[in-house]
Amino acid sequence: MDAEVEKFVRNCRGCTLVAAPDPPEPMCRSQLPTTPWQSLALDFLGPLPDGQHLLVVIDCFSRFMEICEMNTITSKDVIRELRIMFSRYGVPSVIKADNAPQLSAECVDFNKFCSDHGIKIVNTIPYWPQANGEVERQNRSILKRLKISQELGKDWRAELRTYLLTYHATRHPTTGKSPGELMFARRIKTKLPSLTDFREDEEVMDRDALVKAKGKEYSDSKRRAKESTIFVGDHVLIKRMKKNNKLETEYANEEYVVCEKKGTDTTVKSLHTGKEYRRSSAHLKKIFRDNQDSDNSSRQEETNELVSAEKDAENNNYVLEPLSQDNHNKTTSTTEPKRIRQQPAKFNDYIPH
């Protein structure tokens, strides 16, 4: 009798309509992708108070997250934002999204965009957000941050970026590493002090130095580059960066004095107003006066000697000490020492007439 009653209730249409849902099936965990930015999960968060929506994109490997603010969420708008992301990180192999009209495989524009880039579209089961749990879980955290900023009267955009920086630098409980470290193979820097474990690639650095040296040699030869003869204390003219008419000269007539020079970075001071300007030495024209060529040549020699001495000090790990005035005079003296020259013995019996 009990079995018959149970069978009758089970087959009753009315009882089925008001029955409790069946227990959920065991979870089906997806396998972790092998590389970053290979499989992406997409979802929309919104609308926000001003009508905007947030496009949230999660990398399933590293859990790295990108968030885009969108006023409209048509398929063309989504494609535009994805193009920007792909230009930074590359094209993924799989995109997982819910059945939103602009993200489904039935959308002509989105389907064509993914087909042209070789991307497989995976749409989750309708009304089953658990199938896209990675991005849905992040939406909850983002929504909490937005609610807090809204209630405290803060700028939600700035707060959202602060949250993203913190999230990318924090170790993920599942992977054991931060999303930024898995995405870029290095720890990203935040305002908190930290030690970096990035290892320099000697092959890359050697190749970079070699190619830069070749490029410098070629460019310097083509441009006929040479060392500047402008030094601290010289009077110069500044090149006009913008001319108002054809009759204006290449250099302004105002005179300046060089206050500081580091490579091509030169600081000059106006003799008229006293205001300082920072210019490249290529934009300066030296004003020559009488007896200045000899002073410049001696100044260039002193500069070259000082640079050479500094390099030797760096290579030998010692510090240069200033010379006293006596030592300086002895060092710079050009008088050669005299020696006694003796006459050969064969000329001893020679009697001059």
Side-chain angles (χ1 to χ4, degrees):
M1 189 67 174
D2 292 340
E4 292 294 330
V5 172
E6 184 179 354
K7 181 179 179 181
F8 176 81
V9 174
R10 189 185 302 117
N11 296 332
C12 176
R13 178 59 62 88
C15 297
T16 305
L17 294 176
V18 297
D22 294 336
E25 295 187 25
M27 287 186 178
C28 296
R29 291 294 191 181
S30 58
Q31 187 176 1
L32 186 70
T34 56
T35 58
W37 208 254
Q38 180 181 358
S39 178
L40 306 181
L42 278 64
D43 194 19
F44 288 108
L45 176 62
L48 300 181
D50 295 333
Q52 309 98 322
H53 285 75
L54 299 180
L55 175 62
V56 183
V57 180
I58 301 289
D59 173 35
C60 296
F61 175 81
S62 63
R63 273 68 168 183
F64 190 84
M65 179 165 42
E66 280 281 347
I67 300 178
C68 302
E69 180 185 351
M70 303 176 64
N71 294 322
T72 57
I73 53 174
T74 63
S75 59
K76 293 183 179 179
D77 296 324
V78 174
I79 292 173
R80 182 188 67 247
E81 297 297 335
L82 290 180
R83 287 184 187 275
I84 297 174
M85 292 185 197
F86 294 170
S87 67
R88 292 195 291 259
Y89 310 118
V91 180
S93 300
V94 179
I95 287 181
K96 183 191 293 186
D98 56 15
N99 288 269
Q102 60 273 62
L103 298 177
S104 66
E106 298 178 357
C107 179
V108 178
D109 294 338
F110 189 70
N111 190 16
K112 185 178 184 304
F113 169 76
C114 293
S115 178
D116 292 342
H117 289 79
I119 303 173
K120 179 183 177 182
I121 304 175
V122 178
N123 290 121
T124 59
I125 304 171
Y127 306 105
W128 189 248
Q130 293 89 329
N132 204 11
E134 191 63 48
V135 66
E136 294 289 348
R137 174 62 186 87
Q138 294 303 329
N139 284 350
R140 286 165 48 192
S141 299
I142 296 171
L143 192 57
K144 285 183 180 180
R145 191 76 181 195
L146 295 178
K147 287 181 178 179
I148 294 173
S149 61
Q150 175 75 10
E151 190 64 25
L152 298 181
K154 297 182 179 180
D155 183 5
W156 65 267
R157 294 179 178 87
E159 293 295 315
L160 182 60
R161 296 303 165 186
T162 302
Y163 165 75
L164 273 180
L165 177 60
T166 306
Y167 168 79
H168 288 155
T170 304
R171 187 180 65 176
H172 197 277
T174 303
T175 61
K177 292 187 178 181
S178 64
E181 186 176 358
L182 289 177
M183 184 68 179
F184 304 113
R186 64 176 179 86
R187 294 180 182 177
I188 62 176
K189 185 179 181 298
T190 62
K191 62 181 181 180
L192 297 177
S194 60
L195 297 176
T196 178
D197 57 353
F198 181 76
R199 297 181 180 178
E200 298 178 352
D201 192 328
E202 296 182 358
E203 182 180 356
V204 173
M205 298 189 68
D206 292 343
R207 178 178 175 83
D208 177 78
L210 179 61
V211 174
K212 284 182 178 178
K214 290 182 178 180
K216 177 183 183 304
E217 183 179 358
Y218 172 78
S219 299
D220 290 347
S221 175
K222 186 176 181 180
R223 297 183 297 117
R224 298 179 180 178
K226 60 180 181 180
E227 295 292 337
S228 174
T229 59
I230 297 176
F231 302 96
V232 176
D234 289 342
H235 289 213
V236 295
L237 302 176
I238 294 182
K239 181 180 180 180
R240 297 181 190 269
M241 306 312 296
K242 183 179 179 181
K243 295 183 181 179
N244 297 321
N245 55 70
K246 293 289 186 179
L247 299 183
E248 285 191 335
T249 57
E250 192 73 16
Y251 295 88
N253 194 27
E254 186 176 357
E255 191 169 334
Y256 299 83
V257 61
V258 179
C259 301
E260 185 180 1
K261 188 173 185 295
K262 296 180 180 180
T264 60
D265 189 354
T266 310
T267 302
V268 297
K269 183 178 181 180
S270 173
L271 297 179
H272 178 65
T273 63
K275 188 176 181 180
E276 293 187 354
Y277 298 89
R278 185 183 176 192
R279 293 289 187 272
S280 171
S281 58
H283 295 158
L284 305 178
K285 178 63 71 172
K286 188 174 181 178
I287 300 176
F288 289 93
R289 291 186 172 86
D290 295 339
N291 301 326
Q292 193 171 10
D293 292 339
S294 59
D295 295 340
N296 289 336
S297 60
S298 60
R299 193 184 306 171
Q300 178 67 34
E301 292 177 358
E302 293 177 358
T303 303
N304 294 337
E305 291 177 359
L306 180 60
V307 171
S308 178
E310 289 178 350
K311 290 182 178 180
D312 293 340
E314 292 178 359
N315 295 333
N316 296 285
N317 296 325
Y318 63 83
V319 180
L320 289 176
E321 297 182 356
L323 296 174
S324 62
Q325 187 65 27
D326 296 338
N327 293 336
H328 179 74
N329 294 335
K330 292 179 181 179
T331 304
T332 57
S333 177
T334 57
T335 304
E336 296 182 359
K338 296 182 179 180
R339 61 188 180 89
I340 301 175
R341 297 183 179 180
Q342 295 181 357
Q343 184 174 335
K346 63 180 180 180
F347 296 122
N348 291 340
D349 57 350
Y350 174 72
I351 301 175
H353 296 282

